[in-house]
């Protein structure tokens, strides 16, 4: 089995364990039958789960983490085993490292998308407020501000297209498209937005 499996008696002694159990815990080989659980396991969450089952609970689920630089996550399920002769617990460790990595990638993706949307929305709001504050009567700045608003509206549209493209990637329906981009114009727009944000912050300071 790829899952780590161990059987523990009522005295917290490991009666049986498979090679995967030893691999999960970083042991060179499966512990000898009769080894104390606390001598083998260093994860307090797993020890507590076993003790709860030995104390009377039918089933306890927990999660343990192994490793420091390269962490691995395991879902631990401890179930009670009760017979006429003795009581004990069966421990099963299932590797969920890939699932946790995927969840972290999704969280980072949502955070990055939120940040990318915030920048053009802030610019559109700032320049719109400036126009409503009187700049609409200044033809030169009005046209420039409207151009910036339009550019950031287009940026929002591009971000939306990127999200749709990611959906196509997940569905294996993405076709790669290469094209040239005007770097000077792109950088110039970013500088303009940054300078405008600094100016607004200074003007709003007490």
């Amino acid at each position: 089995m790829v899952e780590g499996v161990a059987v523990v008696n009522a005295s917290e002694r490991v009666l049986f364990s498979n090679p995967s159990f030893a691999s999960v815990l970083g042991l060179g080989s499966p512990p000898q039958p009769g080894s104390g659980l606390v001598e083998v396991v260093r994860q307090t969450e797993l020890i507590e789960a076993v003790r709860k089952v030995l104390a009377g609970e039918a089933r306890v689920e927990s999660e343990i983490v192994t490793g420091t630089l390269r962490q691995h996550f395991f879902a631990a399920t401890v179930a009670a085993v009760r017979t006429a002769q003795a009581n004990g617990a069966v421990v099963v460790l299932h590797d969920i490292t890939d699932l946790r990595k995927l969840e972290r990638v999704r969280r980072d993706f949502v955070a990055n998308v939120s940040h990318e949307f915030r920048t053009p929305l802030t610019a559109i709001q700032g320049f719109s407020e400036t126009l409503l504050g009187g700049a609409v009567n200044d033809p030169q700045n009005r046209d420039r501000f409207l151009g910036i608003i339009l550019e950031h509206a287009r940026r929002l549209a591009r971000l939306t297209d990127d999200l749709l493209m990611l959906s196509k990637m997940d569905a294996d329906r993405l076709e790669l498209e290469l094209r040239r981009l005007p770097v000077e114009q792109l950088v110039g727009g970013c500088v303009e937005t940054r300078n405008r944000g600094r100016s607004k912050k200074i003007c709003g300071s007490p």
Side-chain angles (χ1 to χ4, degrees), residues 6-9 11-16 21 25 27 31-32 34-52 54 78 89 91:
V7 179
V8 182
N9 66 8
S11 301
E12 297 185 11
R13 296 285 175 177
V14 179
L15 302 181
F16 164 82
F21 185 81
L25 299 180
L27 305 176
Q32 293 295 322
S35 300
L37 181 66
V38 294
E39 299 174 3
V40 177
V41 177
R42 294 292 180 265
Q43 288 73 22
T44 57
E45 297 86 358
L46 182 57
I47 295 175
E48 290 299 323
V50 172
R51 286 176 175 173
K52 287 180 181 179
L54 294 178
V78 184
V91 181

Side-chain angles (χ1 to χ4, degrees), residues 103-148:
E103 290 176 351
R104 184 170 63 249
V105 168
R106 287 177 175 173
R107 288 196 301 268
D108 293 343
F109 173 76
V110 171
N112 291 333
V113 169
S114 300
H115 175 74
E116 291 296 328
F117 270 94
R118 186 180 296 113
T119 300
L121 287 173
T122 300
I124 291 174
Q125 179 181 353
F127 285 106
S128 297
E129 291 175 351
T130 302
L131 289 171
L132 292 174
V136 69
N137 297 320
D138 183 349
Q140 182 177 358
N141 285 327
R142 178 189 62 199
D143 294 342
R144 184 164 62 90
F145 292 167
L146 288 174
I148 294 173

